[in-house]
C-alpha cells in the first residue's frame, strides 16, 4: 500500500463522512462546518491528481468564500430553535434508508471505476497546468464564466433584500 493510496483513502473517507454528516445534522452551522471538511478533502484529492491550481481555487473559493456567504445567509435570516420531535420509527427508517443509499452509491462508484479504461496516459498532462486552465477559461468559456459571476452577485443581493424585507414586518421585542 503506497502513501498516495493511503492519502486517497483518508481524503475520500473524510469527504464521504462530511457529506453524510451534512445531511444528518440538525443545526445549520454544523452542516456548514461538515461541508467545509468535504471541500477541503476534495482539494486534497485535487492535489493527488496534480491539479494544484484547482486545489488552491477549491480552498479559496469554496472553503472560504462560499462558506462565508452561507454563514452570512444564516445570520441574516431568522431561525427558530424549535426542535422537531421525531418519532423513533421515522428517524430509524430515515437513517436506515440513508445508510443503504450511501452504501449502494459507493458500490456503484466502485464498480464503475473498477471497470473503467483510461487508455494511454497523457504525456503533457502536468505541464503548464495553470496556463492551460486560463487559456481554456478565457478563450472558450468566457461568456459562461461571466454569466456565472453575475448570477452569484444577483443571488447575494436577492438574499440581502429578502432578509431586510423580513426585518421590516417583524415585531420589535
Amino acid at each position: 500500500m503506497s502513501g498516495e493510496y493511503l492519502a486517497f483513502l483518508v481524503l475520500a473517507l473524510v469527504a464521504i463522512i462530511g457529506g453524510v454528516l451534512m445531511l444528518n445534522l440538525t443545526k445549520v452551522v454544523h452542516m456548514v462546518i461538515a461541508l467545509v471538511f468535504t471541500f477541503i478533502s476534495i482539494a486534497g484529492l485535487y492535489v493527488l491528481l496534480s491539479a494544484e491550481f484547482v486545489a488552491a481555487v477549491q480552498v479559496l473559493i469554496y472553503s472560504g468564500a462560499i462558506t462565508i456567504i452561507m454563514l452570512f445567509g444564516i445570520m441574516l435570516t431568522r431561525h427558530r430553535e424549535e426542535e422537531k420531535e421525531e418519532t423513533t420509527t421515522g428517524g430509524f427508517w430515515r437513517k436506515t434508508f440513508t445508510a443503504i443509499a450511501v452504501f449502494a452509491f459507493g458500490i456503484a462508484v466502485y464498480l464503475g471505476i473498477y471497470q473503467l479504461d483510461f487508455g494511454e496516459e497523457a504525456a503533457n498532462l502536468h505541464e503548464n497546468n495553470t496556463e492551460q486552465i486560463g487559456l481554456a477559461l478565457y478563450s472558450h468559456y468566457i461568456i459562461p464564466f461571466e454569466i456565472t459571476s453575475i448570477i452569484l452577485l444577483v443571488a447575494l443581493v436577492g438574499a440581502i433584500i429578502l432578509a431586510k424585507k423580513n426585518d421590516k414586518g417583524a415585531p420589535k421585542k
Side-chain angles (χ1 to χ4, degrees), residues 116-132:
L116 186 64
D117 182 28
F118 287 110
E120 293 183 22
E121 186 175 332
N124 61 356
L125 183 63
H126 306 299
E127 295 175 7
N128 298 328
N129 192 356
T130 307
E131 182 181 348
Q132 290 176 4

Side-chain angles (χ1 to χ4, degrees), residues 131-145:
E131 182 181 348
Q132 290 176 4
I133 291 172
L135 288 174
L137 186 63
Y138 289 115
S139 61
H140 301 294
Y141 302 108
I142 187 68
I143 293 176
F145 179 76

Side-chain angles (χ1 to χ4, degrees), residues 11-143:
L11 289 170
L13 190 62
V14 169
I16 291 170
I17 289 171
V20 170
L21 281 176
M22 185 185 65
L23 294 174
N24 287 320
L25 291 173
T26 56
K27 296 192 183 253
V28 182
V29 175
H30 295 162
M31 291 177 187
V32 171
I33 292 170
L35 188 64
V36 168
F37 279 112
T38 303
F39 285 155
I40 291 175
S41 62
I42 290 173
L45 291 173
Y46 286 143
V47 169
L48 289 177
L49 292 171
S50 297
E52 292 84 10
F53 178 75
V54 179
V57 168
Q58 174 80 14
V59 170
L60 289 174
I61 302 298
Y62 285 105
S63 300
I66 298 298
T67 304
I68 296 299
I69 288 174
M70 287 180 181
L71 288 174
F72 276 137
I74 291 167
M75 289 188 288
L76 287 174
T77 58
R78 294 176 186 261
H79 295 285
R80 295 182 186 154
E81 291 294 330
E82 299 172 2
E83 293 289 328
K84 289 193 288 185
E85 292 185 19
E86 192 174 283
T87 62
T88 56
T89 57
F92 170 75
W93 288 111
R94 190 186 96 209
K95 290 180 182 180
T96 303
F97 287 135
T98 302
I100 290 171
V102 166
F103 286 124
F105 179 74
I107 289 170
V109 168
Y110 175 76
L111 292 175
I113 291 174
Y114 185 73
Q115 298 172 357
L116 186 64
D117 182 28
F118 287 110
E120 293 183 22
E121 186 175 332
N124 61 356
L125 183 63
H126 306 299
E127 295 175 7
N128 298 328
N129 192 356
T130 307
E131 182 181 348
Q132 290 176 4
I133 291 172
L135 288 174
L137 186 63
Y138 289 115
S139 61
H140 301 294
Y141 302 108
I142 187 68
I143 293 176

